[in-house]
């Protein structure tokens, strides 16, 4: 009944194979386009001189006040469509968070990941036959 | 699920006994745990309703997360909260006072009726109270995507863990500052508190020796204080140990009344002698008392009351500052010490001299030119 937990991912991690099909994710980006008729939005993010885009399906979160150029936080499921290398995020929650400190957010996500990685290493050391919970 | 339990990697680890749970500070706090840990922690075999993460007992938690599921009934909300590590159901009972509220919109408009000049028409307490209640109520009504903070007890019902909220409210987080600081704080909390094993103090309390020494230290500090006060009050310049022994009697007597019976094995006299010896030793180390001559006769001089000592110090300073070497800067403590040892007493310690110098300075008989140099006025 309850949905699966949505882990934090960076926008540039969504489009590559790091994320499984159907996984619940959280991510963020700048709203660069919104087509209300098709319920499609695009969140963009700058990563070391390359722009990356995430397509978002917004049917579940409409109506919402789109502010083009503002930072948004989105939570939803990934759908990997064949062909055009398209990955769509079906948003369950979309919030404007303009003014967010991106550098600090990145630091926080990395810190949380590092903590869980350390913990997993410790668990694997103590019980090497156990399966990793993140597989 | 038990295989991947991070909280109890050592499956055979015994739970600490329930009597000691209150000694763990996290037990009484609404502990901030990751939802994944709340879902996986093992229930106690001793007391149902208490759960263990790495041998720390928990039953109250504080979570911050996004609402991803909502179910509303007449009496309660059931919010599914996702903090990116797990999702848990939270049972949030509605406050009864909101049920008799009536139309919420009416309250807000009535309080906006103010004078055109801008000043309110007095302070209408009923309206303000209604506004407060309405604000409270609105802070508990959330939609999917809102940020929720919950404090409550952990319950297991029908094989599912849930949190029964004692306090819950919508968090306004327009720039994600709250979530970011929460994400940064949690690993620190874990490393500092939850992942540290719960030190059971029963090891410290065990053995009269360990318990005895802390009690003895307490007695010692009290006896040192008592003696100091006595010497000051009576302006004692010199004394022998048996002169002041009587001061320690009330301390030992009250303590033996409270202590275990094995303390009675050592006689009262021995205890007093031991305490007196330690007290005098402490006072000597501090420089408050000293033995001018190491003879069989155990006589102690009180530094601040010994007039001869003070005169000797002042004489040295007066004489030496006439010499060109010391005229401007004054005499260094070590120089004074060596002179005093020649002139006054071979056994003089630096601590005693410093106590005496400080005393003389407070009396304005001498002045320190630097931290370690003194001249006479």
């Amino acid at each position: 009944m309850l949905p699966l937990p949505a882990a934090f991912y960076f926008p540039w991690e969504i489009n590559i194979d790091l994320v499984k099909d159907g996984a619940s994710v959280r991510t963020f980006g700048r709203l660069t386009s919104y087509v209300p008729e098709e319920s499609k939005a695009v969140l963009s993010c700058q990563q070391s001189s390359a722009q990356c885009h995430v397509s978002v399906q917004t049917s579940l979160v409409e109506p919402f006040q789109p502010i083009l150029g503002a930072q948004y936080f989105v939570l939803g499921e990934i759908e990997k469509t064949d062909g055009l290398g398209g990955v769509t995020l079906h948003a369950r929650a979309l919030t404007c968070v303009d003014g967010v400190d991106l550098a600090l957010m990145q630091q926080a996500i990395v810190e949380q990941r590092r903590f869980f990685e350390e913990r997993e290493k410790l668990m694997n050391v103590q019980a090497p036959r156990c399966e990793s919970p993140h597989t | 699920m038990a295989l991947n339990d991070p909280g109890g990697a050592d499956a055979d680890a015994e739970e600490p006994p329930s009597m000691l749970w209150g000694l763990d500070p996290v037990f009484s706090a609404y502990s901030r745990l990751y939802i994944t840990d709340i879902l996986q922690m093992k229930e106690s075999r001793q007391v149902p309703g208490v759960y263990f993460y790495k041998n720390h007992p928990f039953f109250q938690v504080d979570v911050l997360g996004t609402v991803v599921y909502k179910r509303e009934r007449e009496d309660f909300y059931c919010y599914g909260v996702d903090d990116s590590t797990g999702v848990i159901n939270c049972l949030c009972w509605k406050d009864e006072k909101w049920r008799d509220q009536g139309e919420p919109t009416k309250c807000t408009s009535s309080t906006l009726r103010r004078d055109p000049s801008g000043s309110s028409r007095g302070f209408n307490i009923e309206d303000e109270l209604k506004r407060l209640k309405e604000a409270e109520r609105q802070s508990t009504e959330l939609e999917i995507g809102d940020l929720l903070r919950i404090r409550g007890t952990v319950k297991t019902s029908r094989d599912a863990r849930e949190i029964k909220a004692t306090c819950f409210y919508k968090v306004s987080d327009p720039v994600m500052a709250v979530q970011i600081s929460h994400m940064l704080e949690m690993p620190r909390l874990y490393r500092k508190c939850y992942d540290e094993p719960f030190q059971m103090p029963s090891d410290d309390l065990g053995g009269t020796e360990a318990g005895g020494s802390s009690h003895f230290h307490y007695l010692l500090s009290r006896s040192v204080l008592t003696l100091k006060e006595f010497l000051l009050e009576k302006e004692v310049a010199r004394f022998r140990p048996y002169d002041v022994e009587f001061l320690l009697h009330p301390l030992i007597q009250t303590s033996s009344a409270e202590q275990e019976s094995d303390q009675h094995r050592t006689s009262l006299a021995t205890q007093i002698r031991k305490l007196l010896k330690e007290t005098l030793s402490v006072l000597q180390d501090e420089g408050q008392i000293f033995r001018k001559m190491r003879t069989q006769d155990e006589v102690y001089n009180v530094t601040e009351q010994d007039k001869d000592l003070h005169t000797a110090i002042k004489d040295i300073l007066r004489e030496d500052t006439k010499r060109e070497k010391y005229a401007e800067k004054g005499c260094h403590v070590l120089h004074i010490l060596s002179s005093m040892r020649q002139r006054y007493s071979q056994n003089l310690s630096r601590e005693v001299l410093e106590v005496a110098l400080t005393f003389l300075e407070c009396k304005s008989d001498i002045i320190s030119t630097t931290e370690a140099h003194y001249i006479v006025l």
Side-chain angles (χ1 to χ4, degrees):
Chain A
M1 202 164 48
L2 282 177
L4 288 172
F8 251 113
Y9 285 96
F10 294 111
W12 52 87
E13 291 173 335
I14 305 274
N15 285 322
I16 62 176
D17 284 326
L18 201 66
V19 185
K20 288 216 288 261
D21 192 17
S24 299
V25 304
R26 271 166 220 250
T27 193
F28 54 90
R30 196 178 293 277
L31 186 68
T32 48
S33 100
Y34 177 51
V35 184
E37 299 84 30
E38 294 175 38
S39 295
K40 281 211 172 76
V42 174
L43 296 180
S44 307
C45 179
Q46 184 92 12
Q47 191 231 356
S48 54
S49 82
Q51 278 274 337
C52 69
H53 309 282
V54 179
S55 302
V56 180
Q57 182 74 8
T58 56
S59 353
L60 295 171
V61 295
E62 276 160 355
F64 71 98
Q65 177 80 336
I67 305 171
L68 284 176
Q71 287 283 343
Y72 275 82
F73 162 81
V74 64
L75 192 160
E77 275 67 48
I78 290 287
E79 186 196 355
K80 291 202 173 161
T81 50
D82 305 321
L84 299 166
V87 175
T88 314
L89 208 168
H90 290 261
R92 283 190 274 128
L94 185 68
T95 323
C96 179
V97 291
D98 207 31
V100 61
D101 186 341
L102 283 176
L104 200 61
M105 163 114 96
Q106 192 161 335
Q107 194 188 327
I109 296 174
V110 166
E111 177 70 26
Q112 186 163 307
R113 281 186 184 173
R114 189 158 24 116
F115 174 73
F116 279 104
E117 275 163 27
E118 273 173 23
R119 185 198 267 194
E120 205 178 305
K121 253 187 263 173
L122 208 65
M123 263 166 52
N124 288 335
V125 162
Q126 284 173 341
R129 277 175 289 144
C130 284
E131 256 185 35
S132 160
H134 289 302
T135 50
Chain B
M1 205 209 270
L3 281 175
N4 288 333
D5 182 6
D10 185 5
D12 301 328
E14 273 297 315
E15 293 174 9
S18 57
M19 272 253 289
L20 300 179
W21 290 347
L23 293 169
D24 190 347
V26 302
F27 183 63
S28 320
Y30 284 97
S31 307
R32 294 190 178 180
L33 294 168
Y34 286 119
I35 293 183
T36 180
D37 292 333
I38 299 175
L39 292 171
Q40 291 181 354
M41 45 190 197
K42 284 200 288 228
E43 191 160 9
S44 161
R45 284 191 299 264
Q46 298 169 68
V47 180
V50 175
Y51 303 83
F52 278 91
Y53 171 81
K54 288 219 172 131
N55 101 331
H56 283 284
F58 295 99
F59 72 101
Q60 295 179 127
V61 292
D62 178 333
V63 299
L64 177 79
T66 313
V67 174
V68 292
Y69 172 80
K70 177 184 174 180
R71 191 177 69 203
E72 185 178 351
R73 294 279 181 272
E74 199 188 318
D75 298 341
F76 64 89
Y77 297 107
C78 185
Y79 292 119
V81 177
D82 177 350
D83 75 342
S84 86
T85 67
V87 185
I88 194 167
N89 253 331
C90 299
L91 201 68
C92 306
W93 289 93
K94 289 186 191 174
D95 205 319
E96 280 194 16
K97 64 188 177 201
W98 298 322
R99 293 211 214 132
D100 315 322
Q101 193 62 356
E103 284 299 308
T105 45
K106 275 195 198 148
C107 311
T108 44
S109 60
S110 66
T111 50
L112 291 173
R113 244 185 286 119
R114 286 169 192 232
D115 253 338
S117 60
S119 62
S120 63
R121 206 179 286 261
F123 179 71
N124 188 339
I125 195 145
E126 273 186 34
D127 284 343
E128 294 297 325
L129 209 56
K130 278 193 196 143
R131 277 178 77 187
L132 177 65
K133 284 193 186 161
E134 176 57 26
E136 275 182 10
R137 197 185 65 81
Q138 275 178 2
S139 76
T140 61
E141 230 179 46
L142 289 93
E143 296 306 324
I144 294 190
D146 288 338
L147 193 65
L148 175 67
R149 165 151 264 146
I150 287 213
R151 297 187 132 204
T153 49
V154 180
K155 292 215 169 338
T156 310
S157 83
R158 292 181 220 154
D159 283 341
R161 286 276 159 86
E162 56 181 35
I163 300 176
K164 180 172 154 242
T166 55
C167 156
F168 67 100
Y169 57 92
K170 175 158 68 177
V171 180
S172 162
D173 196 17
V175 295
M176 289 191 77
V178 177
Q179 288 175 79
I180 292 175
S181 81
H182 187 256
M183 273 200 282
L184 286 169
E185 183 197 17
M186 292 293 277
R188 283 182 215 151
L189 265 181
Y190 269 80
R191 287 190 189 112
K192 242 177 108 170
C193 306
Y194 310 136
D195 287 344
E196 290 292 311
F198 170 31
Q199 292 288 357
M200 269 187 278
S202 55
D203 305 323
D204 297 347
L205 292 173
T208 50
E209 213 181 70
S213 80
S214 62
H215 178 74
F216 182 75
H217 281 124
Y218 165 72
L219 275 185
L220 186 62
S221 56
R222 280 195 64 189
S223 68
V224 166
L225 204 63
T226 312
L227 201 55
K228 267 196 214 172
E229 283 171 358
F230 172 79
L231 294 173
L232 186 65
E233 205 185 302
K234 302 289 179 195
E235 292 180 17
V236 176
R238 274 200 317 270
F239 66 93
R240 290 188 176 79
Y242 60 71
D243 294 330
V244 295
E245 205 179 290
F246 71 97
L247 292 168
L248 272 45
H249 287 188
L251 288 174
I252 297 284
Q253 267 157 12
T254 50
S255 86
S256 60
E258 295 156 7
Q259 279 294 293
E260 299 273 322
S261 58
D262 47 55
Q263 290 278 10
H264 283 301
R265 273 188 242 130
T266 51
S267 74
L268 216 61
T270 323
Q271 284 178 56
I272 291 178
R273 229 175 295 133
K274 183 179 173 210
L275 185 61
L276 185 59
K277 186 163 159 243
E278 288 298 316
T279 311
L280 292 173
S281 165
V282 167
L283 286 172
Q284 274 189 294
D285 292 340
E286 284 181 13
Q288 298 286 338
I289 62 177
F290 64 99
R291 284 176 69 180
K292 193 168 171 186
M293 284 184 291
R294 289 216 176 279
T295 59
Q296 282 223 333
D297 192 10
E298 207 180 328
V299 181
Y300 290 91
N301 290 43
V302 179
T303 315
E304 288 183 358
Q305 309 289 347
D306 191 342
K307 302 277 187 286
D308 294 335
L309 179 73
H310 304 160
T311 317
I313 293 175
K314 284 192 273 193
D315 286 343
I316 290 176
L317 287 176
R318 209 173 294 122
E319 286 163 21
D320 285 352
T321 43
K322 287 199 185 115
R323 287 159 63 184
E324 211 181 284
K325 190 175 169 190
Y326 303 111
E328 207 176 295
K329 203 171 178 191
C331 302
H332 191 270
V333 170
L334 293 174
H335 168 77
I336 306 175
L337 186 63
S338 67
S339 308
M340 285 294 286
R341 280 191 177 150
Q342 286 168 13
R343 189 187 286 228
Y344 184 76
S345 161
Q346 261 183 341
N347 305 314
L348 207 70
S349 71
R350 185 172 175 171
E351 286 77 34
V352 171
L353 183 64
E354 299 209 309
V355 169
L357 289 170
T358 312
F359 176 74
L360 288 173
E361 201 181 357
C362 290
K363 274 178 57 188
S364 300
D365 284 344
I366 66 178
I367 274 190
S368 58
T369 53
T370 75
E371 225 178 88
H373 290 82
Y374 292 86
I375 59 169
V376 71
L377 281 172

